[in-house]
């Protein structure tokens, strides 16, 4: 008999009871050593609260309503017991455990059962996920009921947690990688890399168990398993991006579309969204294009799909979303909203991983592989003026801004680093009021030079801080400003001075972020003063309503792109 599910449930119970990371890692690491190769992936997945490996498209589709109905039937308990237990623990799993414990009906039924094993639980999950078509709902329910009816209360607690995807022991994937590193004496970095490539830490452990840790060296990309995406940080402007990248960088148009990762092997093509869900069905013309054009037997590439309007200009993002959301009448919507692909990276080609090659080399390989598919427009430069013109050109063509990519950068999956920087154009300036100010540091020690900027509430007339900056004014202006602010000081606290809202300044910024820092819940990013608006009174400053409107427009788009396909 294999390892019982009870042991796994007890382990999870220990994890839940502690917040000490080292202890958690130790417990799991010891447990991993005991398991057989075939048990280890299911066990790892379950500890992480998943029924299957991470990349696996199978889902259980058992809702809470279904589960409660089953549990009620099974235990015959008054549901008040559940509600009370839930109110006390705030945890569905724990409440289910209490209900099971309270049930006499259920105790009698399980008296003679032999213990569930980890592999049996996995098999049940597989059967539940496979139930499809007519009558599948009932089949699923029967299977869930059968599984729960042989579980102890503690086992039921964790089965339910996995079924509804709410493990909440605090033991996450990153810690699992640490536990694997410890259990098998493999440097953490190697574990992380292999786990990233395989797309699942559970499968990685099963490989180590069955083939030894030497097998890690041979781990490569697996086609049709999406790789986590490399992401970008924001740069204030092209000049900063050039500086950050060591004096020279590659700029590409930043297209206003949806990112996709394309996997190709022979004639088979699959496309994954930014959230790594399979969106192949929504984009048949991209599949055909890749089949026709790509000059490689096997490849993993990335690009941006853009919806195209009548004159060939990119359409706003919302149109593209309709393409992703639609699963029926694809042919019709394909005619209405044509899309175009621009490739910008290649991660893998014909058996060879390319992620450790520098950007510039990958780009060359990409251009050789892309056939007739266009790449994102790109320049390499160290010249701020040339870069600025390139940004203007991108904006004139209806794109979002630029991406700067460090020439020697490798592809770092799942990481939002500085090797890629996004540059969005400066938004329309805001006229804001200085409501408080701090003394600066170093040379500015005696100057009131760090300004709190506020927008006016059109309804109440109150001022709300939306940002802070020490940038933009000349030394002379700061000296004069210090004098003026001293005259309107209301109170002082350490290095901070609150002033009467009187002075209006024009402020540039690149983005408005959601932020808990200020009461209004928003904060300007990269704010800098562009001039002092001597001509404006505080009552004429921009309103918090206007700031919110700009923020919401931006936020809505971010939300949409995050919730894109499959969700
Ligand atoms: P953001 O979503 O604001 O973090 O910006 C990064 C996104 O820009 C990527 O995930 C891509 O979807 C998109 N993007 C547009 N053009 C490019 C490009 N040339 N290179 C990389 N990403 C791009």
């Amino acid at each position: 008999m294999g390892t019982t599910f009870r042991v796994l449930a007890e382990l999870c119970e220990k994890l839940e009871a502690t917040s000490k990371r080292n202890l958690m890692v130790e417990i799991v690491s010891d447990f991993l050593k005991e398991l057989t190769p075939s048990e280890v992936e299911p066990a790892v997945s379950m500890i992480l609260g998943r029924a299957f490996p991470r990349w696996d498209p199978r889902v259980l589709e058992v809702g809470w309503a279904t589960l409660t109905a089953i549990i009620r039937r099974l235990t015959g308990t008054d549901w008040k017991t559940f509600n009370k237990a839930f109110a006390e623990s705030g945890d569905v799993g724990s409440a289910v455990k209490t209900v099971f414990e309270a049930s006499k009906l259920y105790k009698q039924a399980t008296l003679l059962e032999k213990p569930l094993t980890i592999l049996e639980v996995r098999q049940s999950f597989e059967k539940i996920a496979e139930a499809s078509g007519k009558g599948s709902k009932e089949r699923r329910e029967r299977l869930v009921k059968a599984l729960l009816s042989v579980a102890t209360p503690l086992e039921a607690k964790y089965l339910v947690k996995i079924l509804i995807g709410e493990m909440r022991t605090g033991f996450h994937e990153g810690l699992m990688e640490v536990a694997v590193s410890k259990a098998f004496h493999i440097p953490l970095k190697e574990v992380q890399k292999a786990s990233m490539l395989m797309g699942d830490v559970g499968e990685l452990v099963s490989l180590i168990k069955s083939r030894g840790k030497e097998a890690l060296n041979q781990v490569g990309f697996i086609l049709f398993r999406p790789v986590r995406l490399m992401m970008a940080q924001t740069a204030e402007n092209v000049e900063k991006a050039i500086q950050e990248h060591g004096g020279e960088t590659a700029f590409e148009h930043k297209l206003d579309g949806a990112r996709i990762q394309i996997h190709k092997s022979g004639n088979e093509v699959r496309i994954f969204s930014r959230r790594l869900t399979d969106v192949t069905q929504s984009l048949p013309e991209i599949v055909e294009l890749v089949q026709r054009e790509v000059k490689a037997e096997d490849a993993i590439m990335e690009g941006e799909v853009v919806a195209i309007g009548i004159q060939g200009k990119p359409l706003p993002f919302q149109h593209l979303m309709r393409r992703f959301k639609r699963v029926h009448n694809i042919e019709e919507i394909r005619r209405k909203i044509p899309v175009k692909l621009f490739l910008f990276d290649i991660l893998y080609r014909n058996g060879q991983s390319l992620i450790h090659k520098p950007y510039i080399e990958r780009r060359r390989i990409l251009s050789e592989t892309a056939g007739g598919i266009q790449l994102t427009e790109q320049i390499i430069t160290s010249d701020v003026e040339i870069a600025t013109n390139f940004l203007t050109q991108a904006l004139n063509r209806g794109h979002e801004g630029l991406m700067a990519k460090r020439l020697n950068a490798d592809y770092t999956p799942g990481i939002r680093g500085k090797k890629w920087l996004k540059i969005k154009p400066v938004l329309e300036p805001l006229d804001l009021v200085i409501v408080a100010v701090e003394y600066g540091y170093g040379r500015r020690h005696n100057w009131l030079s760090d300004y709190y900027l506020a927008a006016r509430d059109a309804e109440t007339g109150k001022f709300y801080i939306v940002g802070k900056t020490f940038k933009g004014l000349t030394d002379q202006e700061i000296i004069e400003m210090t004098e003026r602010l001293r005259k309107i000081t209301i109170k002082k606290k350490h290095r901070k001075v609150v002033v009467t809202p009187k002075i209006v300044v024009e402020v540039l910024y690149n983005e408005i972020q959601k932020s808990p820092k200020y009461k209004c819940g928003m904060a300007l990013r990269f704010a800098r003063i562009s001039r002092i608006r001597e001509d404006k009174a505080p009552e004429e400053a921009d309103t918090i309503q206007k700031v919110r409107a700009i923020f919401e427009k931006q936020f809505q788009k971010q939300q949409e792109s995050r919730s894109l396909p499959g969700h």
Side-chain angles (χ1 to χ4, degrees), residues 229-234 251-260 274 302-304 342-344 363 376-377 400-403 405 416 420 422 424 511 558 561-562:
L229 305 179
M230 174 165 181
M231 290 167 298
Q233 289 190 14
T234 309
F251 287 102
E252 293 180 16
H253 283 175
K254 183 176 192 302
L255 309 176
D256 188 11
R259 181 162 178 181
I260 55 170
R274 183 190 166 104
E302 278 183 14
E304 190 89 353
F342 295 85
L343 290 170
F344 58 72
R363 177 94 187 178
T376 45
E377 201 147 323
E400 227 181 13
L402 296 180
M403 296 288 289
K405 300 188 176 175
R416 186 182 293 283
W420 285 9
K422 51 189 169 192
K424 292 189 184 158
E511 219 172 343
Q558 278 167 9
S561 74
R562 282 201 190 112

Side-chain angles (χ1 to χ4, degrees), residues 232-339:
Q233 289 190 14
T234 309
E236 184 175 339
N237 53 36
V238 291
E239 191 177 356
K240 290 274 162 54
I242 292 174
Q243 262 170 24
E244 175 65 42
H245 286 173
E248 189 182 36
T249 193
F251 287 102
E252 293 180 16
H253 283 175
K254 183 176 192 302
L255 309 176
D256 188 11
R259 181 162 178 181
I260 55 170
Q261 191 175 84
I262 303 163
H263 289 228
K264 169 187 187 289
S265 178
N267 212 32
E268 182 163 7
V269 173
R270 266 194 247 153
I271 302 171
F272 300 93
S273 74
R274 183 190 166 104
R275 301 187 66 171
L276 310 184
T277 40
D278 192 324
V279 291
T280 314
Q281 289 209 348
S282 310
L283 298 168
E285 66 268 61
I286 303 291
V287 173
E288 288 156 21
L289 183 72
V290 170
Q291 284 167 334
R292 201 175 59 232
E293 297 293 339
V294 170
K295 307 272 171 292
E297 185 62 15
D298 295 339
I300 301 178
M301 293 170 296
E302 278 183 14
E304 190 89 353
V305 271
V306 186
I308 299 292
I310 301 164
Q311 270 114 32
K313 265 213 161 190
L315 286 175
F317 185 74
Q318 287 78 350
H319 294 267
L320 182 64
M321 271 193 44
R322 291 176 47 208
R323 277 301 303 262
F324 277 96
K325 285 193 171 152
R326 182 69 79 92
V327 267
H328 308 292
N329 291 339
I330 301 274
E331 283 308 315
E332 185 197 329
I333 195 146
R334 171 178 171 173
R335 271 195 311 277
K336 273 199 199 144
I337 307 175
V339 294

Side-chain angles (χ1 to χ4, degrees), residues 482-511:
T482 303
E483 278 310 302
R484 288 173 70 181
L485 290 169
R486 281 194 179 130
K487 285 186 193 141
I488 54 171
T489 296
I490 301 172
K491 63 175 181 198
K492 285 187 198 161
K493 200 177 170 197
H494 304 299
R495 300 181 61 76
K496 187 172 167 183
V497 171
V498 178
V499 298
T500 313
K502 250 207 168 108
I503 302 171
V504 182
V505 287
E506 182 184 83
V507 178
L508 299 175
Y509 58 98
N510 294 55
E511 219 172 343

